[in-house]
Structures are given as C-alpha cells and as structure tokens.
Amino acid sequence: MSQTDLTHSIDMEAILIDAAETLCGLLEAENAALRRMDIPAATQIVDAKGRATDRLAAAQQALAAPYDSSIRPHAARLRELGLENRLLLERAIVAQDRVLACIARAIPRALANEMGYGASGAEARRMLSRPVALSARA
C-alpha cells in the first residue's frame, strides 16, 4: 500500500468513525425521547438521523480497505443503539395503536346519546352514529 493510499485510508476511517459517532448521538437522543414516550421530540430527529445514516453508508463505501480495529468499538456501539432504537420504536407503535383503538371504541359510545331531529321534526335519538375518520402519523 502506497503512502497516498494509506493516508486516504486513515482519512476515510476518521470520516467513518465521525459518521458513526454522529449517528450514535442521534440514536441516543431519539432513544431517550422514545423511553419518555415523547413522540414529538423523537420525530424531530428523523431527518437528521436519515442524513447521518446516508453519510455513514457513503463513508463505508468509500473505505475500500478492511476496517481497522479502531472502528470496531464504534460499530458495536452503533449496533447496540440501533437494536434498542428498533425495540423502542416498536413499543411506541404498539402504544399508539392502543390509544387509537381506545379512541375508536369510545367514539360510537360518545355519539350514541346524541340527539337529532326525526321525521316529524321532534327531537329523536340517533340510532346510528355519524361516520368518523381517524388518522395517525408515526
């Protein structure tokens, strides 16, 4: 390996480590928000996490040589944070589904006692609730 190749490899390793650490920091912040079930805070991190992931992937592709042992601890940390992130995201999705199911079950009961006007013009209890739409964004 020439001196130029070695210098390029070292530079790319530094870029790869920096990209991994940036993504680790974002995953830590998102995981903390998800542990608190602070979905708005977690959502604010999504775009930055996508950019950091793209940067890490580009750095991995640019590093042609086998990874140096100095990268291994960063990769292990990233793997652990990624696994935790997946579990926390799954938990948040389950919680969101439960909340939406509760709301969906409550709406017909809440609207069942609603009064309206019958054919004669007098008040009449509605037999069917009016249509309701729910929307969720993760």
Side-chain angles (χ1 to χ4, degrees):
M1 184 181 279
S2 73
Q3 183 62 33
T4 303
D5 290 341
L6 182 61
T7 302
H8 176 73
S9 177
I10 291 170
D11 290 344
M12 290 311 300
E13 286 175 8
I15 291 169
L16 181 62
I17 289 170
D18 183 62
E21 285 303 308
T22 298
L23 184 55
C24 283
L26 291 166
L27 285 171
E28 286 174 337
E30 185 178 46
N31 289 352
L34 290 170
R35 272 188 233 100
R36 295 186 313 269
M37 294 301 283
D38 186 351
I39 304 306
T43 302
Q44 290 178 345
I45 297 168
V46 170
D47 290 339
K49 190 172 77 168
R51 288 189 301 273
T53 301
D54 292 345
R55 183 172 170 243
L56 178 65
Q60 285 177 310
Q61 288 178 346
L63 186 60
Y67 297 156
D68 185 84
S69 62
S70 64
I71 295 173
R72 286 193 184 106
H74 304 282
R77 181 170 171 240
L78 187 58
R79 185 176 24 262
E80 287 175 22
L81 288 167
L83 290 172
E84 180 185 13
N85 186 255
R86 188 181 89 211
L87 293 172
L88 290 167
L89 284 169
E90 288 171 355
R91 184 183 85 169
I93 290 168
V94 167
Q96 176 181 318
D97 287 347
R98 287 181 181 162
V99 168
L100 289 174
C102 287
I103 293 169
R105 283 190 307 271
I107 288 173
R109 285 185 252 147
L111 297 178
N113 294 327
E114 214 177 62
M115 298 299 280
Y117 293 99
S120 67
E123 280 192 15
R125 181 170 272 180
R126 292 185 191 265
M127 298 306 289
L128 298 173
S129 64
R130 62 179 174 239
V132 176
L134 296 177
S135 175
R137 285 182 35 189

